[in-house]
Amino acid sequence: MEQQLKQLEQEALAKLQAASNLKELNDVRVAYLGKKGPITDLLKGMGKLSPEERPKMGALVNAVRENVTAQLEERITILEEQAILEQLEKESIDVTLPGRKVRQGNRHPLTRVVEEIEDLFVSMGYEIAEGPEVEKDYYNFEALNLPKGHPARDMQDTFYITEETLLRTHTSPVQARTMELKKGEPIRIICPGKVFRRDNDDATHSHQFMQIEGLVIGENIRMSDLKGTLDALAKKMFGDDREIRLRPSFFPFTEPSVEMDISCFKCGGKGCNVCKHTGWIEILGAGMVHPNVLEMAGYDSKKVSGFAFGIGAERIAMLKYGVDDIRHFYTNDSRFLSQFHRTEG
Ligand code: PHE
């Protein structure tokens, strides 16, 4: 029996050496050490031996099993290493291949419009001011000469949080807040931000959109200052050969109030589909700050005057980039947004 065992051991070790891959090693393991293998058989047959022989044989069988197992593990390690080396040899890296492009994000078209306008005004000495989107009725309406029950409030219906707090309908409350803060000092600010109205969404309306408010207050601020400022804005946003015209309009917080049009950048004024065949495109509302608004914020309307204007960022972006539906700005569709890669500057 001892002889048989030695032979088995030799055989198993030889086969382990001969195995050239992990699968073959496993076959050897199953064949010799497995439940149905000869070593297990020998162990099972121990019962038939005499009590003196049993421990001796038991120790021998165990020694053989341990030896074969140890050899098996060693071969596994060697073959695994070999497999890795072979794989590495096969996988060479071609460092001359062109790299994969990393897709870079780009600024949202509305952000770009806001930043361009901010840049222009900062270069003219304006500061950028901000205010809350959840606003007091007082700053959104009352301080702007729109007392409770004023009919002009109907055009700017909004979402009320309480009787006295609402989602602001325009960026004009930042005017009122800044005037209150500056306590009679001169002001030159530009205020971009989100505004809200109870509007049904369609191609040109959105319940949420962006405005940029401008306000200048000081001694001797005149309508001609407003006109010159708006002219610079029109040229910066739509090209140096743009002309502007002011038409009379109404806002409760400005007097006189105007609507500014620019000469059509597509047809140059001859008439086309962009300007609805008028040669002019309506851009923004503006006017001279109403004396009531100045007085309510603590300014002496006999000593100082000012102008204000409000620009819709979406409208500018739609015109500038030829966007036909305002909803494109909000849906985050990368097919729309990625078009602004090329012109990023
Ligand atoms: N706040 C006005 C609006 O939203 C725009 C405006 C601002 C008009 C400043 C005049 C002066 O309609």
Side-chain angles (χ1 to χ4, degrees), residues 182-194:
K182 295 273 180 166
K183 294 193 181 4
E185 295 292 308
I187 296 176
R188 239 186 298 178
I189 51 162
I190 190 98
C191 338
K194 291 192 201 87

Side-chain angles (χ1 to χ4, degrees), residues 156 169-170 172 175 197 211 213 251 253-254 285-287 308-310:
Q156 300 197 5
T169 59
H170 48 182
S172 304
Q175 287 188 32
R197 290 193 194 174
Q211 274 194 348
E213 186 90 3
F251 299 103
F253 31 90
T254 46
F309 54 89

